[in-house]
Amino acid sequence: TLARTERTQGGPQHAAYEFDLTGTGDMVVTDVRTTQAGLVLTPELAGRISLRQAGGALVAELRKPAGSTVELGLEAGSYLVMIENGGVSLEAHLTLAAGEHLPLARAAFHPGGPPEVAVARGDAPPSAETVSAAPTLATTPAHETTSFKAGFLPRSIDGRTDVDGFSFGFIADRAASLTGMQLSLGYNQVDRDLRGLQLTVAVNLAGALAGAQISAGANVARGDSHGAQVAAGANVIDGNFRGWQTAAGVNVTTGRFTGLQSAAGLNLLDEGYGLQLSGGANVARTFRGAQIGVVNVADASDGFRLGVVNVGRETRGFQLGVVNVAARDDGESFAILNLIGNGIHDVVAYGTDALLSNVGLELGGRHLFTSLSFSYQPGDATAAGPVRLARGSRRWGYGGGIGWRQPIGFGPLHHLDIEAVTTNLVPALSDGNGVMLDTLRVTLAIAVHQQLSILVGAGANVVVATDSRDFDGLG
């Protein structure tokens, strides 16, 4: 009764039956242990919402106000969701996988068709005049189904044609729904669901996609989709998507993305799981997986990121780049320049047996850090000619290194650093080539103040000198 009356002008009706149950023990109405997936009704959805399995069995019915989020625990499978609000009926078809929590947005819905004329029990059936007076019925022509469709110019009937087979269009091609293949040299449009393949040299436009869109221009799908989008220009999914998006220009997904995005220009999505590859930039609100591009940006990321610049608010996993920026990093970050809010950012001053005065900048994540250093050893000026740095020679040094920091937090013992540093030693700053001093050292930091520590450590030096350069002493 409920299923038959949901699409009527009178609204849904619930059949009632009185049960008289006796006995002992608990009667199980709902077993939540069978929940395999979740459907999240987003705040923008409002009205009477009913959820049915693909076979028509009612799973849930509720009234939801706008501004709240409701999550339903469901079994994996295909479902039909209907929303009725203010006389407007909307529908959405979706498939839930085991373990998936799928947000359902307004963009996933399409009009559910005109309401049927209903009569109260005992009334006579509506007359022909009454039916014809209903504006929604009088202005909505019936759909037709065909296995083959061809046309060189768009027609008004195209929006009421369901194609189950092949559709060809020169300049333009449109269908209400498509199961099969659509081919056009100018423009393809499917108003509702597309199951199959769209090919065009300019634009592909569809509702929910289950298949592939291939275009030299742009692909657009409105609603939750899965499959592949291939374009030389842009791919756009207004909803959730599972599959592969590849473009020479831009890939955009407004909802949850699961799969691979590859672009020569820009990958843009809201929530992603999988892999983003770009010759330009990868941008996501949240992303789990791998981002590989020139610039990688995510509000929250968990996984591997490789880029010239990696930017995030909260990051986990491993970041490798020239510049890494994050407000908080709970993984590891390696770059020439690390700007991590909760990471390592220290200025150090120290002396060694090879160089009396040294200043350095250490930047990193939780443990891994890079360092830049500048050094000076007072002494006698060297004679002109081949570089020879003796024990008492004046020398300058500049270099960098990589290190690992292990926090201790025991009494005044703050942390322990293991660091490998390479320093170029020259008799004057104007000299480009000198002697390479490679140092492996272990340093213990003893805290004397909240922002001040004393460094004590030991190191081993290896000197490399070629092309008439020499070095015969330390200290």
Side-chain angles (χ1 to χ4, degrees), residues 302-306 316-320 329 331-334 368:
D302 187 353
F304 174 72
R305 300 209 291 172
L306 172 64
R316 296 176 59 90
F318 185 73
Q319 297 185 95
L320 178 61
D329 179 36
E332 296 299 336
S333 179
F334 178 72
L368 193 64

Side-chain angles (χ1 to χ4, degrees), residues 130-179:
T130 304
V131 175
S132 63
T136 54
L137 294 181
T139 59
T140 307
H143 281 229
E144 64 177 29
T145 301
T146 180
S147 60
F148 177 80
K149 176 177 172 290
F152 296 96
L153 293 173
R155 304 168 301 166
S156 59
I157 196 175
D158 291 343
R160 305 192 305 274
T161 303
D162 299 321
V163 179
D164 188 2
F166 180 78
S167 177
F168 164 81
F170 183 74
I171 302 300
D173 191 13
R174 180 185 178 190
S177 65
L178 174 71
T179 301

